[in-house]
């Protein structure tokens, strides 16, 4: 796979500054990209590499003005990451479409599999499952009874999807993720023993949802756990029963949402963040890593801490917290002084 | 599946207030239950829905007195969640018992499988395994050598149970859980390299234990990691080697217990809580989400924070922490004032 | 498996204090070891058991001096855990080497499998995979195209290794771990929708790396996510794309490293710790459990808290934090007093 700079510029809608005739053979990281590579610059931490690179071309934001001469061709774009998304797709060797049903798969006889679909070895598909066009269901996947799967869905090895769940179009489920496991619902009897509350709901993943590796989305106790369109969940995330996550919300690894909580759209949760149960989070919030949101939250907040509150207030208080031993001493001295003064 | 209100009342031992002749066809959530549905009310947050519902019947606690007229039949019970447990079991369509051994399973020739057991495709069962009556071992499960499994055990797809572990009666293992993986034990040699300490113990899960999806319980370095009767672990929980968890303790998702720690009975751990290694936790403690318990704890405590201490004290201090920038200013002003006054 | 104390002493290079002729049949825990058992003492918490044990022998550090008479033979060693590592290997019944390829495995026809290798049932190995000598690939494992696996690698049931990853010699991958899943990379378009950035890099695991059960190591967006020699990751750990982890670093369960961060060698991370993205951590740091490192860190630090800072400073401040309600009161009293005094 190779292309001239000018061809790539056209692909990613970039303005070329410098020689557009160079040949690109692969993408590379700015720290170590050599001749033939196309790289990118976005995070200011890496600016020094920009002026030393041996790469054949660099993608930068259209408003970026280098402080020194850059020794290679610049491709100026509106949105660097969007350009990368297109560029990497161009160079992605794994994008070759596979098709066909492995003879080692176990598919219930009544299930119709479109010709455009790939089903890997050791896949087990139960009764009543419906599968759309152009899906890829890799090895060791389990699809429970009556699950419905849209078009263009990619299911990586080892994923388990339990009965009655609904998977929208263009959904991606990464390896060993579990969709539709039982919610954590028990009733305590008069002897103090826990008795299971059967979880008779399901999980609904809308279009363009991504679910990370080893992430778990529990089925609702009743009704549906709902992940709205465009939501992206990273690895090892926990979504409890009856949760609703609004459109284009992004949740980083190891974060968890407790039962019945509802999140609006366009929220961003950092890694290891937690949301308590039965609360409502509005839209457009930034919830920092390791934060714990324990009560309702409106829109457009940036929060930090456990329990979480205003990011700005948290860091103001944090600065003082570190000085507390000194503050305590100052207080004690003052008390002594005042006592002495007023004897 | 349908039933008259009076029949359901008998099933869940409820007192009927209103028309007992209505027909129930399904359970529903109080927010959106319509005609034919039976719903429930327990969390005060949802009280307003109670007065607007179109459901045919509502289960409530026997001591609940509505503040306004309720437009439907009330079923008053001792314990709402226990009633739900029975009700959902009645309506659970997945409870149909499956049996038989898939021809695609790989079972060591010496292993005896009772007729009442279901074994799904791509299950691999090693030598010396013993399996009780009425078990369900779903697809892609691995059972290592000499594992013993009691009666009525449900093992969901993708679970891995390593050699020598003991699974009690009526245990449930959710999808992709791992039981008996090696504990994290290494010895550092004089060159600074880590050398594995073989983990020669096992895991013992007593009766009525539930293990969540993608949860891991490590085998003991020596002896047993023990999960006592009735313990419920949610998803993505980590139980390290040599841990002992007492009866009816409940641990929410993403919590972790470090090596050799012992927990008594009836504890409740919130999501993402952590327990340090080699400590003892008594019984009946409430350990809040994201808390980190770093030293021994007696009985009947409620703790919060990392490191965790009294929940009450934590929140009193937390209230002041948020005001620290102002407190620091007040202190500085006072210092100035005292200095000036006493010049 | 049994041996005289003197034989074991030779094996672990110990000095015998007492009768060296006793016969050892198994290792045991100091709390409950009986006749025939060899046990060990290292953690001071367990010292009382030492003076009451019925074990036939006890391994202790060579500098340990008992405060009371010990009722059994002592084996004095340089490094107790290193001795255990050797001892447990001696008694490990599972160390029996298995070989051979299950007829139920699915291996691409071009892949050469050495005679010394074991491949379990329902393993799926794709095109272009290379496998070294003496490897063990257990049931339900997936190995993607062009993966290279060194010598003496153990892969436990359910592990998924994605295309192009490199696995060094003597690496161990525990059950249901995922290596090489896509990094969490998306570009937001002008409509606010996230578009996937294909992750075209891989994962490189160097020699002697251990990866815990259900742990996830994401492939690089470009280039490699690199886990250096001797690194040990516990269960449920998250390693994001483009991370580099230096030699002999040890990471406890449920910790997570965000994208592009680099850790030096010999670091120790406690359970549930988090490292933010795009930062650099030096070497020989102790990062306590549940801590969150949010900016660069040099060498030889011990840190705590979220955000993390000096362990010592944290605990000094923490002591005062707990007293904040009282401090606020003292400040208010002082303010009142000063006001009154200076009227």
């Amino acid at each position: 796979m190779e292309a001239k700079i000018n061809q790539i510029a056209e692909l990613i809608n970039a303005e070329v500054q410098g020689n557009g005739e160079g040949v690109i053979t692969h993408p590379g990281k700015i720290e170590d990209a050599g001749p033939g590579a196309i790289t990118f610059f976005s995070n200011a931490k890496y600016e020094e590499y920009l002026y030393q690179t041996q790469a054949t071309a660099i993608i930068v934001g259209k408003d970026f003005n280098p402080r020194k001469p850059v020794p290679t061709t610049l491709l100026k774009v509106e949105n660097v990451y969007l350009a990368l998304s297109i560029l990497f797709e161009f160079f992605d060797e794994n994008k070759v479409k596979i098709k066909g049903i492995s003879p080692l798969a176990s598919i219930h006889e009544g299930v119709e599999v479109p010709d455009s679909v790939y089903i890997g070895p050791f896949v087990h598909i139960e009764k009543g499952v419906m599968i759309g066009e152009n899906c890829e269901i890799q090895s060791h996947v389990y699809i429970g009874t009556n699950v419905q799967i849209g078009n263009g869905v990619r299911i990586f090895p080892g994923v388990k999807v339990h009965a009655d769940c609904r998977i929208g179009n263009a959904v991606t489920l990464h390896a060993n993720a579990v969709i539709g496991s039982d919610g954590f619902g028990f009733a305590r009897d008069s002897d103090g023993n826990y008795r299971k509350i059967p979880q008779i709901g399901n999980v609904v993943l809308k279009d363009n949802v991504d679910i990370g590796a080893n992430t778990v989305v529990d089925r609702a106790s009743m009704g549906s756990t709902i992940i709205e369109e465009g939501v992206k969940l990273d690895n090892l995330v926990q979504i409890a029963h009856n949760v609703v996550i609004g459109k284009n919300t992004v949740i980083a690894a190891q974060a968890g949402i407790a039962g019945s909580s509802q999140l609006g759209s366009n929220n961003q949760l950092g890694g290891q963040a937690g949301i308590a149960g039965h609360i409502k989070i509005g839209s457009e919030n930034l919830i920092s890593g390791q934060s714990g949101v324990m009560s309702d939250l409106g829109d457009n907040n940036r929060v930090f801490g456990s329990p979480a509150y205003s990011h700005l207030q948290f860091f103001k208080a944090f600065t003082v917290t570190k000085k507390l031993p000194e503050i305590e001493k100052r207080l004690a001295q003052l008390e002594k002084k005042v006592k002495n003064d007023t004897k």
Side-chain angles (χ1 to χ4, degrees), chain A:
Chain A
M1 194 77 64
E2 63 175 57
K4 285 199 176 171
I5 294 176
N6 282 332
Q7 289 174 294
I8 285 177
E10 206 178 320
L11 189 71
I12 64 174
N13 198 20
E15 177 198 335
V16 179
Q17 262 186 19
N19 169 26
E21 294 300 311
V23 173
I24 303 295
T25 56
H26 63 285
K29 287 197 285 186
I30 196 164
E31 304 95 294
D32 54 19
I38 181 165
T39 186
F40 72 101
F41 166 71
S42 170
N43 185 330
K45 284 196 185 182
Y46 299 88
E47 184 165 349
E48 274 316 304
Y49 293 111
L50 187 68
Y51 307 116
Q52 304 159 16
T53 188
Q54 313 227 12
T56 297
I58 303 186
I59 299 169
V60 297
K62 67 172 183 172
D63 298 328
F64 174 72
N65 290 310
R67 289 179 294 106
K68 307 182 197 172
V70 177
T72 185
T73 304
L74 288 185
L75 295 184
K76 294 192 150 191
V77 297
E78 183 80 27
N79 179 330
V80 171
Y81 287 101
L82 209 53
L84 282 186
S85 166
I86 297 161
L87 182 77
F88 284 9
E89 212 170 291
F90 177 77
F91 282 105
D92 188 359
E93 293 169 7
N94 293 319
K95 73 180 169 191
V96 185
K97 184 75 198 137
I98 44 176
K99 282 186 197 184
I101 301 177
S102 166
L104 299 176
S106 154
I107 303 175
H108 192 276
E109 54 188 356
V111 173
E112 278 180 48
V113 180
D115 287 346
S116 59
V117 165
Y118 168 71
I119 296 187
F122 316 125
V123 166
H124 176 46
I125 298 183
E126 298 264 19
K127 193 179 170 184
V129 169
M130 293 175 66
I131 304 175
E133 296 286 342
N134 296 305
C135 291
E136 206 177 293
I137 301 180
Q138 298 197 21
S139 67
H140 308 99
V141 167
Y142 161 82
I143 310 284
T145 48
N146 298 324
V147 168
Q148 291 178 17
I149 298 175
N151 300 315
V153 171
R154 297 188 75 188
I155 306 186
F156 283 89
V159 168
K160 315 301 177 205
V161 182
H162 288 83
D164 301 320
C165 292
R166 303 279 170 271
I167 314 287
N169 300 308
V171 165
T172 302
L173 308 180
H174 286 285
N176 286 350
V178 176
I179 308 298
S181 40
D182 280 350
F184 196 57
F186 299 93
R188 204 158 194 187
D189 68 20
S190 49
D191 297 327
N193 296 317
Y194 289 95
R195 185 190 157 115
K196 185 176 179 63
I197 300 175
Q199 303 288 301
I200 59 178
N202 71 349
V203 171
V204 175
L205 306 179
K206 299 284 181 70
D207 295 352
N208 296 306
V209 164
D210 276 46
I211 304 287
N214 277 334
T215 280
V216 180
V217 183
D218 276 350
R219 67 199 305 105
S221 52
M222 192 167 43
S224 299
T225 302
I226 299 171
I227 313 290
E228 294 286 358
E229 209 180 314
V231 168
K232 308 297 179 188
L233 306 184
D234 200 349
N235 304 326
L236 294 161
V237 167
Q238 153 75 357
I239 306 295
H241 53 182
N242 298 81
V243 163
V244 177
I245 301 186
K247 199 177 162 179
N248 289 340
T249 282
V250 173
I251 301 185
Q254 297 175 319
I257 319 288
S260 298
S261 282
Q262 301 191 7
L263 282 74
S265 56
N266 297 302
N267 292 294
Q268 297 184 22
L269 275 74
Q272 302 178 335
I275 307 288
H278 291 278
I279 66 174
K280 285 194 181 182
I281 308 286
S283 293
E284 313 270 350
N285 294 293
L286 289 177
I287 296 168
S288 298
Q290 297 191 329
S291 297
V293 182
M294 307 204 174
S295 49
D296 289 0
L297 199 64
D299 300 330
N300 290 300
N301 298 288
R302 185 176 182 190
V303 297
F304 193 96
S306 172
Y309 61 106
S310 153
H311 185 267
L312 194 69
Q313 278 181 49
F314 175 90
F315 278 95
K316 278 186 185 166
F318 180 65
T319 307
V320 187
T321 302
K322 286 161 126 179
K323 295 186 287 186
L324 274 179
E326 179 216 335
I327 284 174
E328 192 187 27
K329 245 181 246 167
R330 281 163 59 193
L331 180 63
Q333 282 167 353
L334 207 57
E335 284 172 329
K336 207 172 158 189
K337 195 155 199 280
V338 168
K339 204 175 173 188
N340 289 338
D341 291 349
T342 60
K343 252 179 199 165

